[in-house]
Amino acid sequence: MKLEVNELAVAISGRRIVAEVNLAVAEGEVVGLIGPNGSGKSTLLRAVYRVLRPAAGVVRLGGDDVWQLSARDSARRTGVVVQETPSDFDFTVAEVTQMGRTPHKGMLSADSVADSQIVAAALRRVNMADFAERQFSTLSGGEKQRVLVARALAQEPKFLVLDEPTNHLDIHYQLELLELVRTLGITTLVTLHDLNLAAAYCQRLYLLRSGQIVAAGTPEEVLTPARLREVFLVEVIVGRHPATGSLQLSFVPRTTGSGSKNNEGDT
């Protein structure tokens, strides 16, 4: 299901945080949204998944304005994993994951055999099946994150929004989670702080600064030394991962004189 964002603006307390944003995610594509802290990434995502109503512009999913959809229809289409999540759920892991089935059931409908099978499969996909009867509140931060991804998968969404999904995860689970996302075949918009992970797992990137898109394209087109110097205030040496061949960035603070000299004139 294709996502289209056209001339989007989002204001909070009268101040525009995001302005004139245009982006698109093709069906089955994994697209990354990157930028410094405070650039408006999470605010933009909140407008996409119907938490912050845009001040201007439109968000379309499958050709439909998401703000014209019912809450149930929207939840059937879009699975969301965000950074700020309650940590005191008094539910088991299986019960939290089961919440993902809510948009597909009537108000008083009991869980079906099919629902239980979908939940079990979602937990297996994030390697949390053995934790099904554990209380969610007893899990580590990384384990909670994986359960919330399972909950989103249990919705059987056509579109995934992931806001820093690798937060709190050790490197093994960061790679495992992003490998999973890449193989799902679901249209995905994801924010990532780690630019090397963004380069390795996203087909295209949008670079956001001060609420506006300043670059868009493949990782090679977006993650250039000159642009990273300007936006992130770091010098960068661009290479290739020796095993995967994906773009690999090595960073040097701009205060290091040798780093500035080595990259003079890079684009």
Side-chain angles (χ1 to χ4, degrees), residues 101-217:
R101 300 302 302 154
T102 302
H104 300 278
K105 301 189 300 184
M107 185 175 298
L108 301 177
S109 298
D111 296 334
S112 67
V113 173
D115 289 329
S116 297
Q117 290 173 340
I118 290 167
V119 167
L123 287 172
R124 285 196 299 273
R125 296 200 81 167
V126 299
N127 284 329
M128 290 296 289
D130 292 341
F131 291 74
E133 300 308 315
R134 278 271 301 272
Q135 292 298 117
F136 181 83
S137 59
T138 68
L139 302 180
S140 70
E143 289 165 345
K144 288 174 181 174
Q145 191 78 337
R146 288 154 61 196
V147 173
L148 295 174
V149 171
R151 182 180 66 178
L153 294 180
Q155 287 178 238
E156 298 184 301
K158 301 295 188 294
F159 172 53
L160 275 176
V161 176
L162 307 175
D163 192 359
E164 293 295 339
T166 56
N167 270 7
H168 312 299
L169 299 182
D170 63 38
I171 188 62
H172 169 76
Y173 288 115
Q174 288 182 31
L175 298 177
E176 185 176 78
L177 177 60
L178 291 174
E179 285 286 350
L180 170 62
V181 170
R182 184 160 63 179
T183 61
L184 288 174
I186 299 174
T187 307
T188 301
L189 181 62
V190 54
T191 62
L192 291 165
H193 273 301
D194 189 318
L195 299 183
N196 279 309
L197 290 178
Y201 289 98
C202 298
Q203 292 156 277
R204 290 188 303 110
L205 299 173
Y206 286 90
L207 176 57
L208 200 65
R209 180 179 62 179
S210 301
Q212 293 185 305
I213 301 294
V214 295

